[in-house]
Amino acid sequence: MLTPPRKPFVAVLAAALLAVTAACAKDQAGASLELTAALPDSVPSGTELRVGDPTIQAIVQASGLDKELADAGVTVAWANISGGPKSIQAFRADKLDCSAVADIPSLFAAWTGTSTKIVFQSVTVDPLEFPIYKLGVAPGVSVSSIADLRGKKIAYSAGQAQGALVLRVLQKAGLTQNDVQLVELTSTGDSYVTALGGKAVDVAPIAAHQVKVFQAKYPGATTIGAGIRDDASTLYCLTSSVEDADKAAALKAYVAVRTKALLWQNEHRDEYAKVYYQAVEGLTATDAKDVVATLGTKAIPASWDNAIQRLQETADLLAAEQGHDKLDVTTLVDRRFEKVQAATAGDRVVRGDAA
């Protein structure tokens, strides 16, 4: 009688280790929390949030708000991650709980099968006066208004805020994608500035704080205003993290501290320029202050209603222009945190058009 072959010892050991690891991970997770349940107030010992929020990290550490997090029992594992593509990749690898982004990444996370929730919303008080982006125009190209975009080569990244901005600008100008040439190009660092300087594209949305360097580096380069609101700023998290009772409690504390950090930023502009744009981004003192001057005043909306309406309009536009499924954006926000922000900001919340 033949004896069945035994599994190799290494394979058996690997399977056992995987089972133990899975069991430990399950044990370490907090109790499940319904998305309609009240947010817990008490943070269990040892609760960790993995957060990609570089600007807030610098403020929290400079302002002393890190002590408030520690006193609340929150341990933050900071990740040098922000923006949609990197954060979604980290979410899928389960390396991150939350990340700072504009509004577009939450849409693309949903469209590509990653479930997330927005837990923080902030705005710019005068968004048209202090835009996040301006439209850079390559040297020698004549564009003085968005009506002049017809026939131009425009840098375009479908999954980023810049791509949505381009589509919204075309809509405002009464143009379609067929009226221009969209050039697929991911926006990272100064890639759009370089593309403009090399005349690979005629027009590209560039960060407002890059304008001065762009025009100095490329004589004859110009910029125009996009004429649309582009100030959406959020923190979004894996839905599974928000459904973890321990992490949800830690997030409640983090959202309150993040609110205070933004208000601190408004009141300590020179220090913010130093601790983030000089220390982290490596700018000179003069350039750092110039960047901060382009940011305007950040604020906490008393209600998320307006932000959600704008997000729905953007989702509808992208669905139509990029062939995505229709999406109800109310499924992407966790409005329990809306109250946490507003309560923390108190009488400094903004209402009406500013929100």
Side-chain angles (χ1 to χ4, degrees):
M1 182 176 179
L2 292 175
T3 302
R6 292 182 299 173
K7 292 181 180 179
F9 175 75
V10 172
V12 174
L13 179 60
L17 286 173
L18 284 172
V20 170
T21 301
C24 289
K26 184 175 181 180
D27 290 341
Q28 289 171 356
S32 179
L33 182 73
E34 294 291 333
L35 293 173
T36 55
L39 295 170
D41 291 321
S42 178
V43 182
S45 176
T47 302
E48 180 183 80
L49 286 178
R50 303 163 300 171
V51 181
D53 204 358
T55 59
I56 297 300
Q57 176 186 357
I59 293 172
V60 164
Q61 293 171 343
S63 64
L65 286 168
D66 50 352
K67 183 179 185 302
E68 187 167 327
L69 284 173
D71 289 346
V74 180
T75 298
V76 180
W78 298 104
N80 188 25
I81 291 174
S82 62
K86 288 184 179 179
S87 60
I88 291 175
Q89 183 180 18
F91 285 155
R92 289 174 179 162
D94 194 23
K95 299 295 185 182
L96 197 68
D97 292 309
C98 305
S99 184
V101 291
D103 52 354
I104 306 306
S106 63
L107 303 178
F108 275 84
W111 281 323
T112 56
T114 300
S115 181
T116 64
K117 297 293 181 186
I118 291 172
V119 301
F120 192 99
Q121 301 264 14
S122 63
V123 297
T124 302
V125 173
D126 298 303
L128 296 183
E129 184 177 350
F130 295 96
I132 304 298
Y133 298 105
K134 299 196 79 171
L135 297 179
V137 182
V141 175
S142 178
V143 173
S144 58
S145 73
I146 60 175
D148 296 329
L149 295 177
R150 185 184 297 274
K152 301 298 188 293
K153 293 184 296 182
I154 305 175
Y156 178 71
S157 179
Q160 294 184 280
Q162 293 91 331
L165 178 80
V166 167
L167 294 180
R168 291 173 63 209
V169 169
L170 292 179
Q171 184 183 54
K172 183 179 177 66
L175 302 174
T176 70
Q177 294 187 48
N178 293 328
D179 295 317
V180 299
Q181 181 182 344
L182 297 181
V183 179
E184 290 281 350
L185 179 64
T186 300
S187 176
T188 56
D190 63 352
S191 61
Y192 277 13
V193 168
T194 301
L196 288 167
K199 299 186 179 181
V201 295
D202 299 319
V203 178
I206 61 175
H209 68 258
Q210 291 181 312
V211 168
K212 181 179 176 182
V213 172
F214 168 58
Q215 292 181 306
K217 187 174 183 179
Y218 301 107
T222 59
T223 64
I224 64 169
I228 59 175
R229 186 167 188 169
D230 65 353
D231 62 321
S233 182
T234 78
L235 185 78
Y236 76 147
C237 308
L238 277 172
T239 299
S240 58
S241 296
V242 182
E243 290 175 326
D244 181 307
D246 295 353
K247 288 184 182 290
L251 267 173
K252 182 178 181 180
Y254 185 78
V255 165
V257 166
R258 197 176 197 272
T259 299
K260 295 178 182 179
L262 274 185
L263 298 175
W264 183 94
Q265 173 186 324
N266 291 334
E267 297 162 1
H268 301 81
R269 294 176 184 272
D270 287 349
E271 193 170 354
Y272 173 52
K274 182 177 180 180
V275 302
Y276 182 67
Y277 287 103
Q278 284 185 250
V280 178
E281 293 293 306
L283 301 185
T284 66
T286 298
D287 288 344
K289 288 182 179 180
D290 286 346
V291 169
V292 171
T294 69
L295 300 179
T297 299
K298 305 305 178 184
I300 304 300
S303 166
W304 289 4
D305 287 348
N306 291 350
I308 291 171
Q309 180 181 338
R310 291 191 293 269
L311 183 60
Q312 186 66 63
E313 291 169 356
T314 300
D316 292 345
L317 176 64
L318 295 183
E321 294 292 327
Q322 297 178 349
H324 299 293
D325 293 335
K326 290 279 287 183
L327 184 62
D328 178 2
V329 303
T330 62
T331 63
L332 307 181
V333 296
D334 190 333
R335 298 193 72 161
R336 294 174 297 177
F337 294 94
E338 175 184 27
K339 299 177 178 64
V340 177
Q341 284 188 260
T344 303
D347 60 5
R348 289 184 285 182
V349 297
V350 294
R351 296 179 169 83
D353 291 341

